[in-house]
Amino acid sequence: MVKPSKRVEEFEKMGFGMFVHWGLYSQLGRGEWTYYHHIRDMNEYKKLKDTFTAEDFNAEEMVLTAKKAGCKYITLTTRHHEGFSLYDTCGLSVFDAPHSPCGRDLVREFVDACNKYDIVPFFYHTTLDWYNKDYVNDFETYLEYLRKSVEILCTNYGKIGGLWFDGNWNKPDDDWKLDELYGTIRKHQPEAMIINNTGLGARGEICHPEIDSVTFEQGRPTPLNREKMSKYVSAEMCYTLNDHWGIGYSDFNYKSPKELVECLCDCRKVGANLLLNIGPGPQGNIIPMQRELLSIIGDWMNIFGEAIYEGKPYESHSIGKNFILKGDGCLYIFCYDLGPEGMKDVIVGGKYKGVYAFSGIKDKVKSIKWLDNKEELDFAQDGENLMVNFTGSPYGTSYLVRVAKAVTV
Ligand code: GLC
């Protein structure tokens, strides 16, 4: 099978990233598609620029929130479908942050903060545009505007992790001149990842030979069949904390830490990255609920992160959701739903503890310990079958997914 390039390998190793959807729409608090669903009048909508101060946007705080959660990269919406750029478009358009009361280049602040704290900056960039009339009236001219916009992002901010495009699905039959767009990136940022969101309906699709990673939107990613691929592409799944990408004040449907941690593990099971989204408030403040959810994931990552970063897909079988990843001289055994153990009149949990069987284990196991408290686990290996006795989570803990490390010969 084809081997991943260095950039793809590094991308896969990062494993977990933070997505940020923030733009003029955030001032209305009803999702990033509010123009399309509620307004449909750009003369009206563009007034949001006049009240955009970004006074609560603190790039360092955002980067540290991601870092604390265990994210290694952040993908920021430098321009979303509304057409407003958080960066200085250098004269290409007046619909950008420097021309708003904010008067700053927010992408510059973002990149500086990323570099300071060793987080890799990625740029989300829309291809669909509700503001630029050429998108509808003169597509060729629009594509040149898009290409120049991307060129600015590739030349003004130092080394970036990659570009994340979104919107081609809006004009599926048009020629997007991708050779030129992607060629511009390769010219200025040869090591940057090129990602294009193929949309909800086209999960895991490769739309162009330059694409480095396919996308999955919401749910769970499926394993990629790389046998017929001429080049190795990675996979990334993006996921909302509730039901919208841009902040929705009346969207109460937040996911639980259990769902989020399980999702991260399920992504890694098939070798995909998880890109978990936050939607900051009107002027860039991070919403407390979103910060808290990320911080719980961070607490979990502090204990089990090694398995998330180091573990690679491993062909083996198990009953239920449990699975194994391969690390360097070891296996990581992911165990779901153990629940806390304790006095039976007090604690409801621990019901799934006990012996679990795995098959297809080609490595010889020497010892197995929980990653958290290093307790040794009893096991037996018979050929490719491995039986492990999972003790429950000790009283006082409940790990959602608990990971054991098996040292192999
Ligand atoms: C969709 C939406 C968009 C969002 C993106 C994130 O394509 O159009 O609003 O940014 O998904 O994956």
Side-chain angles (χ1 to χ4, degrees):
M1 205 173 51
V2 278
K3 286 243 165 354
S5 63
K6 191 168 151 268
R7 67 168 165 272
V8 169
E9 199 168 33
E10 281 170 6
F11 179 71
E12 282 195 334
K13 206 162 176 206
M14 293 195 292
F16 182 29
M18 186 168 96
F19 213 170
V20 182
H21 274 73
W22 181 48
L24 297 182
Y25 50 81
S26 309
Q27 295 177 71
L28 301 177
R30 48 192 193 205
E32 79 287 358
W33 273 72
T34 186
Y35 168 78
Y36 177 90
H37 287 289
H38 310 119
I39 304 176
R40 293 280 184 109
D41 173 355
M42 199 28 95
N43 283 328
E44 201 46 44
Y45 186 87
K46 70 181 184 196
K47 291 182 191 152
L48 287 170
K49 186 181 96 169
D50 305 332
T51 47
F52 185 72
T53 63
E55 63 199 4
D56 302 321
F57 177 72
N58 180 336
E60 291 207 5
E61 191 196 341
M62 198 177 80
V63 166
L64 288 173
T65 301
K67 199 172 171 91
K68 212 175 139 214
C71 297
K72 300 282 189 192
Y73 63 104
I74 303 176
T75 307
L76 171 70
T77 50
T78 60
R79 181 191 297 165
H80 203 265
H81 308 334
E82 62 178 4
F84 180 76
S85 307
L86 297 183
Y87 58 97
D88 184 353
T89 57
C90 301
L92 273 185
S93 164
V94 291
F95 205 45
D96 63 7
H99 286 87
S100 74
C102 142
R104 292 142 54 197
D105 182 338
L106 301 165
V107 170
R108 167 93 47 221
E109 294 176 18
F110 164 66
V111 169
D112 286 350
C114 283
N115 291 338
K116 180 165 172 189
Y117 294 108
D118 204 18
I119 291 286
V120 181
F122 278 69
F123 297 157
Y124 168 107
H125 203 283
T126 189
T127 56
L128 144 68
D129 198 311
W130 295 320
Y131 173 82
N132 189 327
K133 294 195 180 73
D134 289 338
Y135 181 74
V136 175
N137 300 332
D138 183 353
F139 196 49
E140 297 259 315
T141 305
Y142 170 75
L143 287 180
E144 190 49 19
Y145 163 74
L146 173 64
R147 199 195 58 76
K148 283 189 179 147
S149 303
V150 169
E151 189 154 46
I152 288 169
L153 288 173
C154 289
T155 49
N156 282 1
Y157 300 95
K159 190 172 188 299
I160 57 167
L163 260 297
W164 205 103
F165 294 107
D166 185 24
N168 294 14
W169 39 263
N170 186 246
K171 284 194 177 200
D173 300 325
D174 283 53
D175 177 6
W176 283 88
K177 300 206 171 150
L178 294 178
D179 288 350
E180 279 146 60
L181 182 65
Y182 298 163
T184 298
I185 302 171
R186 290 284 181 250
K187 179 172 162 207
H188 300 295
Q189 297 271 347
E191 286 313 314
M193 293 282 294
I194 301 180
I195 301 173
N196 175 46
N197 183 18
T198 41
L200 272 171
R203 301 159 63 81
E205 213 165 81
I206 304 174
C207 62
H208 188 274
E210 286 299 338
I211 290 299
D212 294 306
S213 178
V214 296
T215 60
F216 292 85
E217 209 180 313
Q218 310 285 24
R220 294 291 190 274
T222 45
L224 294 187
N225 181 355
R226 296 196 170 85
E227 256 153 42
K228 292 203 180 85
M229 286 184 188
S230 53
K231 113 181 187 191
Y232 182 107
V233 298
S234 53
E236 180 186 48
M237 196 197 79
C238 54
Y239 207 31
T240 45
L241 285 178
N242 48 8
D243 287 335
H244 294 81
W245 301 97
I247 179 72
Y249 284 131
S250 300
D251 180 349
F252 309 138
N253 197 18
Y254 277 101
K255 277 146 196 143
S256 64
K258 177 176 159 72
E259 163 61 10
L260 296 171
V261 166
E262 287 193 358
C263 179
L264 176 58
C265 297
D266 291 346
C267 283
R268 299 309 276 163
K269 177 182 175 181
V270 298
N273 286 14
L274 173 65
L275 185 62
L276 189 59
N277 181 71
I278 64 163
Q283 307 298 349
N285 58 302
I286 297 175
I287 306 297
M289 177 69 170
Q290 305 194 357
R291 186 201 308 276
E292 282 312 312
L293 283 170
L294 284 168
S295 126
I296 295 176
I297 300 174
D299 291 343
W300 187 90
M301 286 291 280
N302 276 338
I303 304 169
F304 302 109
E306 173 189 333
I308 293 292
Y309 303 128
E310 303 293 327
K312 297 219 167 73
Y314 186 64
E315 234 179 275
S316 61
H317 305 281
S318 159
I319 296 163
K321 294 186 275 186
N322 299 350
F323 68 92
I324 296 182
L325 293 182
K326 182 156 177 66
D328 191 11
C330 66
L331 300 174
Y332 296 106
I333 311 177
F334 287 69
C335 189
Y336 287 58
D337 290 324
L338 276 178
E341 277 201 288
M343 223 278 275
K344 70 175 179 13
D345 296 323
V346 180
I347 278 287
V348 186
K351 63 178 174 205
Y352 295 109
K353 73 171 190 176
V355 177
Y356 281 78
F358 297 84
S359 60
I361 311 299
K362 300 213 166 50
D363 295 81
K364 177 105 189 76
V365 172
K366 261 202 314 209
S367 66
I368 307 180
K369 284 178 187 173
W370 287 124
L371 270 183
D372 48 281
N373 64 359
K374 313 287 183 254
E375 181 197 354
E376 287 249 8
L377 298 182
D378 290 333
F379 71 95
Q381 191 167 16
D382 174 13
E384 292 188 4
N385 296 320
L386 178 69
M387 269 78 63
V388 189
N389 185 19
F390 292 120
T391 55
S393 269
Y395 180 77
T397 66
S398 197
Y399 288 119
L400 309 172
V401 180
R402 198 174 181 197
V403 187
K405 182 173 178 170
V407 176
T408 53
V409 186

